[in-house]
Amino acid sequence: MADDAQDLSEVRQEKLRQIAALGLDPWGHRFDGATPIGDIRKLPAAPFDDAKPGPKVRAAGRVVRHRTGGKLQFLELWDQTGRVQLMVRVNKVSETDWKVVNLLDLGDLVGVDGEFGATKTGELTIQAEKLTFLAKSLEPHPKDTYGMGDLEYRLRHRYLDLVYTPDTLRRAHQRVRIVRTIRNHLDGLGYLEVETPTLHAIAGGAAARPFETHHNALDIPLFLRIALELPLKRLLVGGIEKVYEVGRVFRNEGISPRHNPEFTMLELYQAYGDYHTMMDLTEGLIVACVDALGGGRTIPYGEKSVAFEPPFQRAKYADLFREHVGCDMTDEVAVRAAARAEQIAADGKAHDVLVQELFEDLVEEKLAGPVFVYDYPASLCPLTKRKRDNPAVAERFELYVHGMELANAYTELNDPVLQEQTFRQQLAGLPADESMAKMDADFVRALRHGMPPAGGLGVGIDRLVMLLTNTPTIRDVILFPLLRPQG
RNA sequence: GAACCGGUAGCUCAGUCGGUAGAGCAGCGGUCUUUUAAACCGCUGGUCGUGGGUUCGAGUCCCACCCGGUUCACCA
């Protein structure tokens, strides 16, 4: 296997030597003025006719097919905007260029100057007049249209995947379009984009285990952030009334089709708003993203589809619970019985934890959505303001689509005394590094200086992109998902 | 972290009951000036994930480990 790979790359190494022997640089140089292949293909293409030459074009890209043969050869040239056929005829190019054509391997990068037109069969084609060798590929590429079947192979060779799997490049573009739409939308609403630290002394704002590192000069442990929340709320205290960040967060947890250890979150905060403000904003934001992709508001997702047509459905957590679990979420005896029926271990668990587990097991999967689920059990939400008429309920919503949580928002807790208290309560039950509420005295101090009442929103960008681009695994909306390193 | 499924040529894959390791494409050598996954003739290419074990004989059976996938668990 290693021998064979060596054989194939040795053949390429030998061709490299032959290219060099022709006086050409196998690693190429600056090549200006190429037109994207996608643009070339839009030019009028008449059948080749020496009496009426077509437009002269220059293109650059990767050789992805090569139909060899006698004195006429066809190649296909790929760039990120498309593919075009090259036709090379022995009497239309220099002797050197003809030798080069016969040395080309799949994967080599070349520039071409020639005449654009159509062959007898109507295939859009550049008839080469001059070739410029730009770079050698020393490794064999997968045979175009065959290769790239194996997910691990695609992930470990993403640079090939981008070339040979059109969806991979398409999704990369769609992801950028979504993120750009989010920024434009929020900028248009007067939000200020900021960048806050990735290295935290206390990894707060979410329930997750952090990655740990160490700062040498200060000789202190530091954690990669697991959320953007706490620094952004400090900015609310500082008078930045509308603020957002799109940033990478890191959670030292398992990997799955929906989880990568580093992923991208949008968090935003708006002073003097609340969770209803956030609901309206979320709806507008997501519809803007859907519209930006230009595929209509009903989007396929696997076998299903989702209609992102506002207004989205809104449903109370307690009502959904009653509907799907069959009892009142405040009825401790009934909840315990329901948990037992679902084979959820109830021992030692707080009532609200059982409620949430039942909700996850029995309700979430039924939420085709998009649906805003609102008013959560308060003890699950240590950073959220309670309802003014019912302290057992927190002003929080999550947006669900096909059982997936797309967004999470709440009316921010700005009472420093209550905040300190909920931090301490959460700490009691869970290991410190897993608690949602790690005691962050500096954050409490910030609140003590007065944070305006506010609404806040978090959106998992990767999952949003998955849903909007019909991608079943997070690995394909992240260009380089984490894999165990391989020699 | 657990269970299950998978790993065979550069790529995609077959390999029956344990009996000489296969195909297509790629590659190499030919023929060919309008091909379209070009075609045709010939050839090369393998530590069957790794290491042990059983056996006269292991890609195939057993054990351990490595890598990936899926489902759990945790979460977004």
Side-chain angles (χ1 to χ4, degrees):
Chain A
M1 160 188 184
D3 286 352
D4 194 57
Q6 214 170 25
D7 288 348
L8 289 173
S9 61
E10 263 169 19
V11 167
R12 285 165 181 256
Q13 192 77 52
E14 172 54 27
K15 289 181 181 174
L16 181 149
R17 280 190 284 270
Q18 292 181 38
I19 285 160
L22 292 172
L24 303 172
D25 186 342
W27 302 110
H29 297 287
R30 174 171 175 167
F31 187 73
D32 289 329
T35 303
I37 287 171
D39 292 347
I40 291 175
R41 294 183 66 92
K42 290 176 193 150
L43 296 172
F48 289 113
D49 176 357
D50 287 346
K52 282 172 39 181
K56 298 287 186 196
V57 294
R58 161 172 278 205
R62 201 178 283 282
V63 175
V64 292
R65 277 185 204 163
H66 194 177
R67 294 183 276 278
T68 59
K71 301 184 177 70
L72 169 69
Q73 304 200 16
F74 294 95
L75 302 127
E76 268 176 49
L77 196 65
W78 179 98
D79 78 9
Q80 59 175 332
T81 67
R83 295 171 173 228
V84 70
Q85 177 170 264
L86 303 187
M87 179 168 66
V88 188
R89 302 166 74 175
V90 66
N91 58 352
K92 291 276 186 181
V93 297
S94 72
E95 204 173 313
T96 301
D97 281 353
W98 186 251
K99 285 179 184 159
V100 169
V101 167
N102 284 283
L103 287 170
L104 285 178
D105 282 313
L106 297 182
D108 289 352
L109 294 162
V110 296
V112 61
D113 290 276
E115 176 191 342
F116 182 65
T119 59
K120 277 182 187 171
T121 54
E123 179 76 24
L124 300 183
T125 299
I126 299 172
Q127 184 168 201
E129 287 158 10
K130 182 170 179 294
L131 290 172
T132 306
F133 196 85
L134 294 174
K136 185 71 198 157
S137 168
L138 289 175
E139 294 294 331
H141 283 229
K143 167 63 176 165
D144 166 44
T145 72
Y146 279 27
M148 314 314 288
D150 181 67
L151 179 60
E152 181 178 4
Y153 184 87
R154 291 202 294 113
L155 296 181
R156 292 195 191 277
H157 304 80
R158 191 64 107 181
Y159 39 87
L160 296 178
D161 192 31
L162 283 162
V163 174
Y164 297 104
T165 308
D167 272 355
T168 301
L169 181 62
R170 182 180 60 84
R171 274 194 285 261
H173 279 104
Q174 287 178 319
R175 179 176 179 128
V176 170
R177 190 166 303 139
I178 288 166
V179 172
R180 188 167 295 148
T181 300
I182 289 169
R183 288 199 161 101
N184 288 341
H185 190 85
L186 294 176
D187 293 347
L189 293 173
Y191 279 79
L192 181 72
E193 180 174 11
V194 297
E195 294 178 273
T196 65
T198 308
L199 296 173
H200 288 188
I202 296 169
R209 214 165 311 196
F211 286 92
E212 189 173 353
T213 184
H214 182 263
H215 188 269
N216 290 341
L218 296 181
D219 190 22
I220 52 168
L222 286 174
F223 303 91
L224 273 62
R225 66 181 173 190
I226 59 173
L228 314 176
E229 178 149 358
L230 302 184
L232 292 176
K233 282 182 179 175
R234 286 176 172 91
L235 297 176
L236 284 182
V237 175
I240 303 180
E241 296 179 2
K242 292 178 170 180
V243 66
Y244 77 97
E245 178 167 8
V246 176
R248 201 72 59 85
V249 299
F250 307 84
R251 298 189 183 177
N252 205 341
E253 303 283 352
I255 296 174
S256 87
R258 285 165 300 282
H259 301 82
N260 193 61
E262 53 179 309
F263 61 101
T264 303
M265 289 257 303
L266 160 71
E267 286 197 31
L268 65 87
Y269 295 87
Q270 177 173 337
Y272 313 122
D274 68 4
Y275 71 144
H276 288 297
T277 321
M278 293 297 107
M279 239 181 261
D280 297 338
L281 181 96
T282 303
E283 206 168 74
L285 192 60
I286 288 183
V287 169
C289 292
V290 170
D291 288 349
L293 294 179
R297 288 192 174 170
T298 297
I299 290 192
Y301 192 68
E303 307 285 298
K304 307 163 185 166
S305 70
V306 200
F308 287 99
E309 196 63 60
F312 299 167
Q313 187 195 343
R314 302 181 182 203
K316 269 193 184 172
Y317 187 99
D319 293 343
L320 290 170
F321 189 91
R322 197 176 306 110
E323 179 185 343
H324 295 289
V325 182
C327 68
D328 196 291
M329 64 183 253
T330 59
D331 183 337
E332 299 210 7
V333 176
V335 164
R336 220 150 266 273
R340 210 174 311 120
E342 275 304 298
Q343 298 178 334
I344 295 170
D347 46 304
K349 281 181 188 159
H351 172 72
D352 281 350
V353 172
L354 285 182
V355 168
Q356 176 64 9
E357 289 187 14
L358 282 167
F359 190 89
E360 284 167 2
D361 280 10
L362 296 175
V363 185
E364 280 189 2
E365 61 186 16
K366 303 204 174 73
L367 300 176
V371 53
F372 289 111
V373 177
Y374 66 99
D375 286 354
Y376 276 65
S379 60
L380 304 172
C381 317
L383 296 156
T384 308
K385 195 188 275 278
R386 280 75 178 105
K387 286 191 88 71
R388 52 201 94 169
D389 58 354
N390 183 0
V393 173
E395 294 196 341
R396 170 186 181 186
F397 75 77
E398 294 199 24
L399 174 63
Y400 282 92
V401 177
H402 288 315
M404 208 146 71
E405 298 158 37
L406 259 199
N408 180 20
Y410 31 88
T411 305
E412 301 301 329
L413 179 58
N414 66 338
D415 174 344
V417 176
L418 183 55
Q419 180 67 84
E420 185 167 354
Q421 199 179 313
T422 59
F423 273 176
R424 292 198 190 285
Q425 276 167 6
Q426 282 274 316
L427 281 173
L430 282 168
D433 63 353
E434 288 177 41
S435 172
M436 171 137 184
K438 292 175 194 66
M439 174 54 69
D440 188 333
D442 183 75
F443 175 67
V444 172
R445 186 179 311 124
L447 292 187
R448 292 179 67 83
H449 290 82
M451 187 181 95
L457 169 69
V459 178
I461 297 296
D462 312 87
R463 289 189 177 174
L464 177 65
V465 175
M466 284 170 69
L467 260 166
L468 298 190
T469 62
N470 192 11
T471 305
T473 168
I474 198 169
R475 297 179 186 94
D476 274 329
V477 298
I478 294 174
L479 284 171
F480 299 103
L482 184 67
L483 290 179
R484 197 178 287 271
Q486 224 174 30

